[in-house]
Amino acid sequence: MKVIKLIWESLRFASQALSSNLTRTILSLLGVTVGIFSIIAVFTLVDSLEKNIKSSLSFLGNNVMSIDKFSFSGGGEDYPWWKYFRRPNNSFIEYTFLRDNLRNADATTIFADANTTVQFGSNSFSGTNLKGVVSTYKDVYDVPLGSGRFFTELEISGARNVAIIGAKIANTLFPNQEPLGKEMKIRGQKFFVIGIFEEEGEGLFDIPSKDEACMIPYGAFSKIYNVGRYGMGPSIAMKGKDDDTGLIALENEVTGLLRARRGLKPTEEDDFSLNKSEFIMNTIGSIFDVISGAGWVIGGFSILVGGFGIANIMFVSVKERTNIIGIQKSLGAKNYFILYQFLFEAMFLSLIGGVTGIILVYLITFIPLGSLVLTLSFKNIILGLGVSSVIGIVSGIVPAVLAARLDPVEAIRST
């Protein structure tokens, strides 16, 4: 009870001191407000950007590794395009070989992509991301369906002309109609719509979206495109087991099996690339870590200025209230009571500035920024309040100690 009473008295003294010098208090708040606003605004923007980009790249899957001719990494001047271009395409036989022999994969699939135009009557949708898949595709990648169903084993094995389309394609081809069961054309062939992908909305970047995608059985895709060793190269993808070494063990196993299948000698280098979804995600994370560090630097200077402002106002406050401090001490106030009184005042001042900065950040989240949705996370709110508290304590500790050590007699005599 004594501790609670002490805290309450310290808070009361602090609030009275701050309210009695309102103009000075507001001016001192500005530095901390700007500093906290700068840091939390940068972190909010970075977190929202990272979340949006990773969401746009969700089609890469989680804990997934793919076999491709080209590597996801690189792309600079030293990127050996000529070497990758000469590599052989994946084949369906290699897919079945890996599917039957891999022990460190939860699922293995194959798919091929192409851009085309789909039609229904006089309506058409160009730039469609057409994908030919097998039944195991949904075991490796998420296939969010808004309505309808996925392909059956019979439809896959029989290369039936059935399709799952995106929401944007459905709205374009079948306005004010129910798309399920309707017949559309892909490269002159008729396909029946059996499913519609869940609507994703606009992405931050020009990344393929399920809204503009059309999925058909791999066999049906092979009937309208030349896929395989001497045609369009499909991708083979595997989902690793959910443990710390899952992808590492899978990578080693795939490398050994595929090298043996392709008859590569021990001295020959791999003629394929193993691309991991985590590689891209980690690269994105490291880029945003650098941006976050820059945010700390930018906001740090503002907070430093705010800290000096709080320290200055506290020194002035101690000077103005020296006589009152002497009277409090003569009436029995302990040094720690005087210390807490000024320390709480500095911390309150800093917290008010921090809360104001957080409120300003929250307000800018309502500003429309196209496809980018800003979200103020609970983590960033706690961070802002924590930084504010630390700045208040650091800025007020020296004036508070000086006030606590004042001699009561000398303090009373001061004017």
Side-chain angles (χ1 to χ4, degrees):
M1 290 299 294
K2 184 177 180 181
V3 174
I4 295 175
K5 185 177 181 181
L6 176 62
I7 294 175
W8 172 251
E9 289 294 326
S10 299
L11 294 176
R12 191 167 59 85
F13 274 110
S15 62
Q16 288 175 353
L18 293 176
S19 59
S20 62
N21 298 281
L22 195 57
T23 303
R24 185 175 66 186
T25 299
I26 292 174
L27 292 175
S28 301
L29 287 175
L30 291 177
V32 178
T33 299
V34 172
I36 295 298
F37 173 80
S38 300
I39 290 178
I40 303 305
V42 170
F43 284 174
T44 299
L45 179 61
V46 167
D47 290 348
S48 300
L49 274 171
E50 185 173 7
K51 181 180 178 181
N52 197 297
I53 291 174
K54 288 185 175 180
S55 176
S56 298
L57 294 174
S58 61
F59 66 92
L60 294 174
N62 183 35
N63 206 30
V64 172
M65 182 170 63
S66 64
I67 304 172
D68 303 285
K69 289 174 63 172
F70 296 92
S71 174
F72 287 171
S73 61
E77 294 181 358
D78 299 330
Y79 190 72
W81 294 98
W82 59 271
K83 181 175 68 175
Y84 293 150
F85 186 78
R86 291 168 55 188
R87 288 176 170 179
N89 290 333
N90 297 324
S91 67
F92 195 83
I93 295 176
E94 289 175 343
Y95 154 68
T96 57
F97 171 75
L98 292 173
R99 181 195 63 190
D100 296 338
N101 290 278
L102 285 175
R103 297 292 176 264
N104 290 297
D106 282 343
T108 305
T109 192
I110 187 172
F111 60 92
D113 292 282
N115 285 324
T116 189
T117 299
V118 293
Q119 296 176 314
F120 173 74
S122 60
N123 298 328
S124 65
F125 189 94
S126 59
T128 301
N129 177 29
L130 182 66
K131 190 184 297 289
V133 303
V134 294
S135 57
T136 55
Y137 184 85
K138 65 181 184 304
D139 300 323
V140 178
Y141 298 99
D142 290 332
V143 184
L145 293 177
S147 60
R149 59 175 177 82
F150 192 69
F151 309 113
T152 64
E153 287 287 349
L154 186 61
E155 289 170 339
I156 294 289
S157 60
R160 301 285 180 82
N161 285 10
V162 289
I164 302 172
I165 61 176
K168 188 177 289 187
I169 297 177
N171 294 333
T172 302
L173 297 187
F174 311 102
N176 304 317
Q177 297 183 56
E178 173 55 56
L180 296 178
K182 293 291 194 305
E183 190 178 76
M184 66 179 190
K185 286 187 177 181
I186 303 175
R187 293 177 66 89
Q189 294 197 24
K190 297 178 181 180
F191 283 79
F192 287 94
V193 179
I194 63 169
I196 302 173
F197 292 116
E198 187 178 283
E199 188 171 3
E200 289 185 351
E202 294 293 334
L204 182 60
F205 298 107
D206 189 18
I207 296 174
S209 167
K210 285 284 193 299
D211 295 346
E212 302 173 357
C214 177
M215 191 176 289
I216 62 176
Y218 187 85
F221 187 94
S222 301
K223 289 189 297 185
I224 55 180
Y225 289 100
N226 181 19
V227 184
R229 187 69 73 189
Y230 303 105
M232 185 181 297
S235 292
I236 300 174
M238 298 76 59
K239 188 174 182 64
K241 295 186 180 298
D242 294 328
D243 54 54
D244 295 335
T245 59
L247 277 183
I248 297 175
L250 179 60
E251 181 179 4
N252 294 332
E253 187 181 18
V254 170
T255 301
L257 287 173
L258 196 53
R259 284 182 63 87
R261 175 68 191 178
R262 294 188 175 182
L264 296 176
K265 298 178 181 178
T267 55
E268 293 179 305
E269 65 179 26
D270 296 340
D271 60 356
F272 54 88
S273 294
L274 297 181
N275 295 310
K276 304 175 187 176
S277 57
E278 278 72 10
F279 175 80
I280 295 179
M281 297 302 183
N282 292 337
T283 302
I284 292 173
S286 62
I287 292 174
F288 282 109
D289 286 343
V290 175
I291 299 176
S292 297
W296 274 110
V297 174
I298 295 171
F301 283 110
S302 300
I303 286 184
L304 189 63
V305 173
F308 282 127
I310 291 176
N312 180 63
I313 194 176
M314 294 312 300
F315 278 118
V316 173
S317 183
V318 170
K319 183 69 175 176
E320 290 178 346
R321 290 152 55 187
T322 301
N323 186 266
I324 297 176
I325 294 171
I327 295 174
Q328 288 177 330
K329 282 197 166 189
S330 65
L331 295 175
K334 302 295 184 181
N335 286 351
Y336 62 80
F337 178 80
I338 304 298
L339 176 72
Y340 286 157
Q341 181 180 321
F342 284 91
L343 203 57
F344 274 124
E345 184 175 335
M347 194 167 70
F348 270 4
L349 193 62
S350 185
L351 273 174
I352 293 171
V355 170
T356 305
I358 292 172
I359 291 173
L360 291 176
V361 174
Y362 177 71
L363 292 177
I364 68 171
T365 61
F366 291 99
I367 298 176
L369 297 174
S371 59
L372 177 60
V373 179
L374 293 180
T375 304
L376 178 60
S377 65
F378 182 73
K379 177 192 71 174
N380 286 335
I381 293 175
I382 296 299
L383 177 63
L385 295 177
V387 171
S388 301
S389 301
V390 170
I391 291 298
I393 293 173
V394 172
S395 302
I397 189 67
V398 174
V401 169
L402 292 177
R405 290 182 176 179
L406 286 174
D407 180 83
V409 177
E410 295 295 329
I412 292 174
R413 288 178 178 175
S414 65
T415 57

